[in-house]
Amino acid sequence: MTSHVSQRGGPLRAQSAVGSLDAVGRPAQLELARTEWLLTTGDGGFAMGTALGANRRRFHGLFVPAARPPVRRVVGLSQLHEMLIVDASSERPIRVPLSVEDRAGRPTIEESEAAPCPPLIRFERDRSTVRWVYNAAGVELIKELRLGFRAARFAVRYSIRVESPVVLVIRPLAPLRDMGALLPEGESDRFTVVSGERGCVVRCVDPEAPAGQDPLELRLDASDGSFTEDRAWLRGCRRLFETERGAEANVDDVEDLFSPGEFRLSVKPSDGPRRLTIAGSLGPTSISPELFEKRAATTYLDATIKRALDANPGLEGCASLILAADAFIVERRHERTSFSTVIAGYPWFADWGRDTMISLPGLLLTTGRYSEARSCLTVFARHLSKGMIPNLFDEQGGEPEYNTVDAPLWFVHAVHAFVRATGEQEWYDEHMHLRCWQVLEFYQSGTRHGICMDADGLITAGDETTQLTWMDAKREGEVFTPRHGKAVEINALWHHALRCVAELCANSEPDRAARYLDLADRVAESFVDRFWDDSRCALHDCLHPVVDDDDPGEVRWTPTGEIRPNQIFAASLEHSPLDRAHQRGVIEEVTRTLRTPVGLRTLAPGSERYQPRFEGDMVARDRAYHNGTVWPWLMGPYAESLLRFGGFSDAARAEAREAIRPLVDSLPEGCLGQMCEVYDAEEPRRPQGCMAQAWSVAEVLRVAALAG
């Protein structure tokens, strides 16, 4: 038997054969068990699991809707466990389980060849559907999953053909829990079940939920067969990927799953092909078993690709990237209004200010989604406070968090890119001019977290306890990558922002524009003077403030001495503070010490804190997060620096395309059709972190358009 993991959906079609699933097929089983897939709903909800069908993260599930879009995501349906009973009326019926779970106290697929494995012959993921194909004991069965679009709905369709009488038994596992939590069987008093002839309603009350929060309710209905209420628990479901991420064994990597009963469908050979659809929804949303009959999803995705190609013909051949980008563009709902935003990554990230602004040009402008870009910029502008945009919205509707020095500067960059792409200068003058002005003025005079302009024109921020840049790993009070003071990319962005706003207000406020240009000139001079390291012909990463013991009023700015990738922004941004000689030095050092085929290392090998592997418990992973670990999104500014230094010549375009090619070719790895958050710093470079990361996709897509 041969199994394939395949992805359909455009000119960059990626297909990976994974070998045999017969008695000597362990390599296939192992790859299927570690290959993940993702479907999304457009409002923060998703479905995610492994190609083998086993859930191996606490976040995996066939239906993980957003109860407060795009957040408060809950695992509504963890799995549908299927059993085929062949010759059910005979004295010796054959029972064939189609589902598999790692169970506590039992060997996993990795640990033993005797571990159970379903009779799966093929797994597929296309634009809107994931599909498992089984063949065993004279039964051919196809299981397909689709999600509703911007509606908390799903449908699973079974197509079955048999050679002898068969009963298909399906047991839904419905924990109805926060996606990051695990419930033990002792929580059974949370659940109530109201059953009908072909379905049921499962309700879960969380005693620790905030006052006024409605109970979670899952509705399940079948198109055929019957439903029998039979409350039960599947105990000891092991989440192996959580174990590998350092979860406490048998505590944080094991859960018990509640099931309200069983669906049954009897099939005879004379029936010919039969179909059964189990549809479900969260809350009062109407159930639609016809998800498979409608072509709305296909039409929407076709239109998404066409719009992107109309906006950027250079994206020809990038359909898979365009579809990958679509997964992150979601609606955030507030009372009776909604606006567009960007999910930073699946399965566990929400919409963050920094990630949204970095991703916006690639996800929205490159693909021609201008209305969503305008909506996204508008809502973050409305929440501007003391020159800062939120880095995080509160999931319960409380006040947002303002804790990043770079997000406001990326906001200015995104606004400038939007006006460049659309020509909507009037929109800028009416809605964004004062917002961008506030960012620049507050950064000069001072705002939260010690963010302010120093006498030399450069921006300083934070102290030993803060992490305000994108290298923000901190756990249990320990800052793993201290970058307080003057960070190189912050000041490159500061120089760039001054020139962007000067350009945008040149006609309406020429005096202000001239003032910003004068300040930008001073920043550029100080930037080279402070950050340039003649010994390496490259840039320092960060300058820490050190108080002079002999003169407490005097502060010396001391370089960290580490080689990091943040200097690449000084060469990639349109308004660079560097001349060509300095740009060449930066590009050459980054290429020599930090570049890998799938992104840039966050710290050069040989450094004292260099960590080649992103593994271990959460403390170990946070320590490695920015101390060597490779980030794919950094290949965007790296490739852009090649383009700008090469004057966008044919040779420079070819070099940029070659730089991102390994990432495009890696789409079948990790999570099918997506790009991960990080990779290990050394071979073998395993995909790690969030399996689907917005800015990884966004930056590769943006560069593909620039170099096309």
Side-chain angles (χ1 to χ4, degrees):
M1 242 179 256
T2 300
S3 175
H4 295 278
V5 177
S6 63
Q7 173 199 339
R8 304 172 181 175
L12 284 182
R13 182 175 57 198
Q15 183 165 323
S16 173
V18 298
S20 172
L21 283 182
D22 57 18
V24 293
R26 266 179 63 78
Q29 296 175 14
L30 292 173
E31 186 165 350
L32 288 167
R34 291 192 168 273
T35 299
E36 294 179 270
W37 54 267
L38 172 72
L39 295 178
T40 59
T41 61
D43 63 358
F46 63 92
M48 191 178 192
T50 66
L52 189 66
N55 286 349
R56 312 193 95 183
R57 296 187 194 272
R58 65 181 63 199
F59 307 96
H60 282 169
L62 295 181
F63 184 48
V64 188
R68 185 194 293 271
V71 292
R72 200 191 161 207
R73 287 166 287 187
V74 298
V75 180
L77 183 69
S78 175
Q79 272 285 19
L80 290 169
H81 268 209
E82 304 95 356
M83 173 78 73
L84 294 172
I85 304 177
V86 183
D87 292 330
S89 61
S90 69
E91 294 183 1
R92 309 187 76 172
I94 301 171
R95 294 178 176 269
V96 182
L98 302 184
S99 308
V100 62
E101 287 278 2
D102 291 317
R103 305 289 291 278
R106 302 180 187 177
T108 66
I109 294 170
E110 288 84 354
E111 294 167 340
S112 171
E113 293 190 17
C117 188
L120 181 68
I121 64 169
R122 187 168 63 257
F123 171 82
E124 297 174 347
R125 177 197 181 278
D126 63 26
R127 293 177 176 182
S128 60
T129 310
V130 288
R131 184 178 298 105
W132 293 266
V133 181
Y134 302 92
N135 194 324
V139 180
E140 298 177 3
L141 185 141
I142 300 174
K143 173 183 176 181
E144 299 172 286
L145 167 68
R146 281 190 181 179
L147 300 180
F149 180 66
R150 291 181 180 169
R153 299 184 292 114
F154 77 91
V156 176
R157 181 173 69 182
Y158 296 89
S159 303
I160 184 170
R161 184 195 300 268
V162 302
E163 295 179 358
S164 57
V166 168
V167 176
L168 173 62
V169 181
I170 304 168
R171 180 170 282 278
L173 303 175
L176 280 169
R177 59 165 174 81
D178 178 272
M179 70 171 184
L182 297 175
L183 293 181
E185 182 180 355
E187 301 284 348
S188 57
D189 57 350
R190 290 177 180 236
F191 294 93
T192 59
V193 180
V194 178
S195 58
E197 181 181 353
R198 287 185 175 172
C200 66
V201 176
V202 184
R203 175 173 288 193
C204 178
V205 178
D206 183 357
E208 299 179 3
Q213 182 171 293
D214 293 334
L216 295 170
E217 185 176 286
L218 178 70
R219 299 176 59 200
L220 297 170
D221 280 323
S223 62
D224 200 351
S226 63
F227 176 81
T228 302
E229 183 176 337
D230 179 23
R231 296 163 59 103
W233 286 79
L234 183 67
R235 295 186 293 273
C237 298
R238 184 180 176 189
R239 303 300 177 229
L240 183 66
F241 291 175
E242 303 299 324
T243 311
E244 294 174 354
R245 289 175 59 84
E248 184 178 353
N250 299 316
V251 176
D252 294 328
D253 63 350
V254 172
E255 70 171 321
D256 301 329
L257 295 172
F258 175 75
S259 175
E262 291 182 342
F263 293 95
R264 285 180 173 251
L265 178 71
S266 298
V267 185
K268 304 185 298 295
S270 59
D271 294 339
R274 287 280 297 276
R275 280 184 173 174
L276 165 67
T277 299
I278 296 177
S281 67
L282 187 71
T285 305
S286 61
I287 292 180
S288 177
E290 295 79 26
L291 274 175
F292 284 97
E293 311 308 325
K294 295 181 179 179
R295 299 192 56 81
T298 301
T299 301
Y300 166 79
L301 294 173
D302 285 343
T304 297
I305 294 171
K306 182 179 184 302
R307 176 172 49 191
L309 294 177
D310 288 345
N312 259 304
L315 292 178
E316 186 66 41
C318 294
S320 292
L321 280 173
I322 296 166
L323 295 180
D326 182 72
F328 304 100
I329 304 165
V330 303
E331 281 191 343
R332 174 174 276 276
R333 298 173 191 166
H334 180 66
E335 296 177 350
R336 295 185 178 181
T337 62
S338 64
F339 56 86
S340 297
T341 187
V342 172
I343 289 292
Y346 293 97
W348 53 74
F349 291 153
D351 52 334
W352 295 349
R354 173 192 293 127
D355 295 63
T356 297
M357 294 305 140
I358 291 174
S359 300
L360 187 147
L363 296 185
L364 297 173
L365 301 183
T366 296
T367 58
R369 304 179 73 147
Y370 303 133
S371 61
E372 288 105 321
R374 187 187 307 108
S375 172
C376 186
L377 291 170
T378 299
V379 75
F380 275 92
R382 286 176 182 170
H383 286 86
L384 193 76
S385 170
K386 298 181 180 179
M388 301 180 71
I389 65 167
N391 196 42
L392 188 67
F393 289 104
D394 183 75
E395 292 204 10
Q396 301 302 327
E399 289 300 311
E401 297 180 19
Y402 298 85
N403 56 0
T404 164
V405 62
D406 46 359
L409 300 175
W410 282 116
F411 167 76
V412 173
H413 170 76
V415 169
H416 178 260
F418 176 85
V419 177
R420 275 278 186 86
T422 64
E424 294 188 20
Q425 181 69 41
E426 290 184 5
W427 172 82
Y428 171 81
D429 292 340
E430 182 176 353
H431 299 287
M432 289 292 139
H433 166 60
L434 290 178
R435 305 297 185 178
C436 292
W437 174 81
Q438 285 178 35
V439 172
L440 300 190
E441 295 301 317
F442 269 101
Y443 269 53
Q444 290 177 74
S445 61
T447 184
R448 299 175 179 89
H449 308 297
I451 300 170
C452 67
M453 187 177 75
D454 199 11
D456 57 7
L458 300 179
I459 298 298
T460 180
D463 57 33
E464 295 87 345
T465 66
T466 58
Q467 276 287 259
L468 303 175
T469 74
W470 79 277
M471 289 187 165
D472 57 359
K474 179 179 178 181
R475 187 169 293 272
E476 299 175 5
E478 182 179 357
V479 175
F480 295 105
T481 318
R483 301 187 73 237
H484 58 284
K486 298 176 180 178
V488 67
E489 83 281 9
I490 301 305
N491 283 286
L493 282 164
W494 170 236
H495 172 267
H496 176 70
L498 288 166
R499 294 197 180 278
C500 284
V501 177
E503 177 186 318
L504 290 167
C505 70
N507 293 327
S508 60
E509 291 188 285
D511 291 342
R512 184 185 298 277
R515 181 160 60 86
Y516 286 156
L517 289 175
D518 287 343
L519 179 54
D521 288 341
R522 181 155 66 96
V523 170
E525 183 178 353
S526 295
F527 186 91
V528 174
D529 181 60
R530 293 285 192 176
F531 285 102
W532 187 253
D533 181 358
D534 278 325
S535 66
R536 294 187 293 112
C537 292
L539 295 170
H540 296 300
D541 180 66
C542 189
L543 307 174
H544 288 325
V546 178
V547 176
D548 193 316
D549 292 336
D550 297 329
D551 185 0
E554 185 70 19
V555 175
R556 291 182 289 105
W557 294 96
T558 304
T560 59
E562 296 176 322
I563 301 174
R564 293 188 179 275
N566 302 298
Q567 60 186 302
I568 198 64
F569 294 100
S572 68
L573 291 168
E574 178 185 357
H575 299 298
S576 170
L578 303 177
D579 61 25
R580 284 185 59 79
H582 290 118
Q583 291 171 11
R584 179 190 296 274
V586 167
I587 294 171
E588 288 180 349
E589 176 167 82
V590 169
T591 301
R592 182 176 64 256
T593 63
L594 301 174
R595 180 180 173 179
T596 75
V598 290
L600 302 185
R601 295 186 182 93
T602 42
L603 185 62
S607 302
E608 182 179 351
R609 288 191 287 187
Y610 181 68
Q611 300 284 317
R613 297 279 167 218
F614 185 75
E615 60 189 10
D617 61 20
M618 293 308 298
V619 173
R621 287 171 182 258
D622 281 344
R623 184 175 291 113
Y625 208 37
H626 299 299
N627 285 315
T629 299
V630 170
W631 289 72
W633 84 274
L634 294 174
M635 195 58 85
Y638 175 79
E640 186 176 4
S641 72
L642 299 177
L643 286 166
R644 294 198 180 280
F645 186 77
F648 288 86
S649 65
D650 290 344
R653 292 176 188 274
E655 190 176 8
R657 287 195 296 269
E658 188 58 30
I660 64 172
R661 173 55 55 184
L663 285 168
V664 175
D665 290 344
S666 74
L667 284 177
E669 297 178 0
C671 184
L672 293 173
Q674 282 293 344
M675 290 185 188
C676 65
E677 180 186 17
V678 295
Y679 285 89
D680 289 329
E682 305 294 343
E683 296 286 358
R685 292 191 176 90
R686 301 166 299 173
Q688 301 277 16
C690 258
M691 286 292 101
Q693 188 78 359
W695 61 17
S696 298
V697 173
E699 281 297 277
V700 172
L701 191 58
R702 185 178 66 86
V703 169
L706 283 175

